[in-house]
Amino acid sequence: MTKTRATGVAVAVLILLALLGIGGVRPAPGAVNQWHLGAPVVSEAQCLQAGIQERWQIPLGFSRRHPDAVAAVWPEGKAVYVATQRGFLISINARAGTINWDAKPAQLSQVMSRPMHYAKGQIMILANGYAKILNVADGRVLKAMNLRKAPGGRPILFNGRLLLGASYGGFYGLSSSFPDTIRWAQYSRNDSFVSDPVLAKNGSVTFAGTRGDVWNKDATDGTGTWKRILGASVTAPLSTNNKLVFVPCHNDNLYAFNVANGRCPWILHLPGQLNSQAVPVGKLVLIISSSTGLYGISVATGLKVWGPVAHVQKLAAIAGGRLFVVDHHNNLRILRIATGRELAHVRIPHAAFYADNAAGSVVYLVTTHGQLVSVAMRQSE
């Protein structure tokens, strides 16, 4: 066999193996081919420049033979949960970056809620019309209970209650042991509760509907404390610093309401749609306008402290006075929270998905090659 012919045969064999998917997890279509399995997603030079470090990375097992995609990444306790579009739930050790288990509790990711701590060694998710209790250690479904309500936003577990905004008709305080049992309800005709509610330390839950009404009630018995009418739809998640509740509204206003009495110390009008959660951090509340960017707002006065920082689309983590944000090109940017000044700009060409983790200090991203990657500030920082 001539050298040329041997080379041709070798190339043909390699192509055949590639088409068959042999030799490991294949990149997703359109992935950049220079990267290889196990190589750092964030280069050492980028890490040194930005003061960050790649803690670990792990393949999620997607390939052209087994196509799937990440729909959500949820840090919860000692685990990071990954929901896929095909309804799989993967539990990953947040410290070591190893897979604990994978399960398929739902048909599609759209009907799966974020895992919630239910009891020691147990989590609850909502999927396919059921509340399911899963074993944290192995992902086994320990109990499945009929829900009878289609969730509109992220539910909350508190003091024996499953606090659930329905996609139509009302907000409910259900029994966490028997979710088809209604302990209290706030009915609202022709309304939808797709905004995530928020729980304050005083035991009250604040929730809002697409008709533009905001309620605050005792989370356990549903007794009313206050209600406000905004006149425009609320779809973004609510948030609180336990003194004020922050409500982004479709009339382009950010409202601050006193948790205890519903008084409104300030309202701020911002250009562009307010579709994302306002995140309180110390003396500031951070809010993204879809058309102008990220703002830092004074919690005390409602006045703009800095911003807009243009092209920001997601808050990825907060650590040590610094803010990790994602821009419209999927680049990772590090800002100083106090001033909004950009400290570093990290281009990660393989990044396809970033988790919303404003409550945590670790950035979780998924690459076009199906790798889940954990990035954090360097220990010396």
Side-chain angles (χ1 to χ4, degrees):
M1 183 181 293
T2 66
K3 183 177 180 180
T4 303
R5 185 179 177 187
T7 302
V9 171
V11 171
V13 170
L14 288 173
I15 292 173
L16 179 60
L17 290 175
L19 290 173
L20 292 174
I22 297 173
V25 178
R26 286 189 54 76
V32 181
N33 292 325
Q34 296 92 316
W35 185 87
H36 60 274
L37 193 65
V41 171
V42 186
S43 70
E44 184 62 26
Q46 288 177 312
C47 286
L48 289 172
Q49 177 189 7
I52 60 178
Q53 62 181 348
E54 185 176 305
R55 299 166 71 225
W56 49 257
Q57 60 173 268
I58 186 170
L60 297 174
F62 305 153
S63 69
R64 288 180 180 175
R65 296 179 66 189
H66 303 285
D68 204 345
V70 171
V73 177
W74 298 307
E76 184 69 34
K78 297 181 179 179
V80 180
Y81 294 97
V82 178
T84 77
Q85 289 183 358
R86 294 175 59 197
F88 286 92
L89 184 65
I90 306 170
S91 169
I92 297 169
N93 185 302
R95 184 170 184 175
T98 53
I99 292 181
N100 298 320
W101 47 262
D102 65 88
K104 197 176 189 304
Q107 295 174 352
L108 296 170
S109 63
Q110 292 94 319
V111 297
M112 191 192 315
S113 72
R114 178 176 184 143
M116 300 169 281
H117 173 74
Y118 183 73
K120 185 176 181 180
Q122 298 176 3
I123 56 173
M124 174 188 278
I125 66 167
L126 309 185
N128 298 335
Y130 286 85
K132 297 185 178 183
I133 311 301
L134 275 63
N135 189 318
V136 169
D138 57 19
R140 286 184 300 114
V141 176
L142 304 176
K143 189 176 182 181
M145 301 167 285
N146 200 337
L147 193 59
R148 297 188 184 177
K149 300 287 183 295
R154 176 185 174 184
I156 296 173
L157 275 174
F158 173 75
N159 197 28
R161 298 289 179 265
L162 177 62
L163 306 171
L164 174 68
S167 59
Y168 182 80
F171 188 94
Y172 300 89
L174 306 176
S175 167
S176 61
S177 301
F178 305 95
D180 61 342
T181 302
I182 298 174
R183 299 301 185 188
W184 62 266
Q186 174 61 60
Y187 297 104
S188 183
R189 190 175 180 182
N190 298 324
D191 207 350
S192 182
F193 292 82
V194 297
S195 169
D196 295 349
V198 65
L199 184 73
K201 283 186 177 179
N202 66 356
S204 71
V205 60
T206 308
F207 51 95
T210 55
R211 291 182 59 184
D213 299 333
V214 181
W215 291 266
N216 175 277
K217 290 184 175 292
D218 183 281
T220 304
D221 60 23
T223 53
T225 52
W226 51 265
K227 176 186 176 182
R228 295 293 177 265
I229 300 173
L230 308 186
S233 180
V234 177
T235 58
L238 308 188
S239 58
T240 184
N241 63 358
N242 292 306
K243 293 182 180 179
L244 297 174
V245 174
F246 304 100
V247 183
C249 185
H250 279 214
N251 58 13
D252 303 339
N253 288 337
L254 175 63
Y255 294 85
F257 294 110
N258 187 295
V259 172
N261 54 35
R263 292 174 184 167
C264 184
W266 54 261
I267 303 170
L268 177 64
H269 183 82
L270 292 171
Q273 285 289 317
L274 303 182
N275 299 318
S276 60
Q277 184 180 48
V279 178
V281 185
K283 296 181 179 180
L284 294 179
V285 58
L286 310 176
I287 182 73
I288 297 173
S289 165
S290 60
S291 60
T292 56
L294 174 67
Y295 294 86
I297 309 301
S298 168
V299 168
T301 65
L303 298 177
K304 184 180 72 173
V305 176
W306 53 259
V309 178
H311 309 302
V312 174
Q313 67 172 355
K314 185 177 289 188
L315 306 184
I318 296 173
R322 301 185 183 186
L323 175 66
F324 295 87
V325 301
V326 181
D327 67 20
H328 290 152
H329 301 290
N330 247 12
N331 297 319
L332 186 65
R333 299 161 65 183
I334 303 174
L335 312 178
R336 189 176 297 282
I337 293 177
T339 63
R341 183 171 68 89
E342 184 171 302
L343 303 174
H345 187 110
V346 183
R347 183 175 181 271
I348 306 177
H350 310 291
F353 181 97
Y354 287 85
D356 288 299
N357 193 28
S361 60
V362 178
V363 175
Y364 294 102
L365 66 96
V366 178
T367 72
T368 52
H369 301 82
Q371 300 282 112
L372 176 66
V373 184
S374 170
V375 175
M377 299 298 297
R378 284 189 177 275
Q379 295 296 331
S380 58
E381 289 290 308

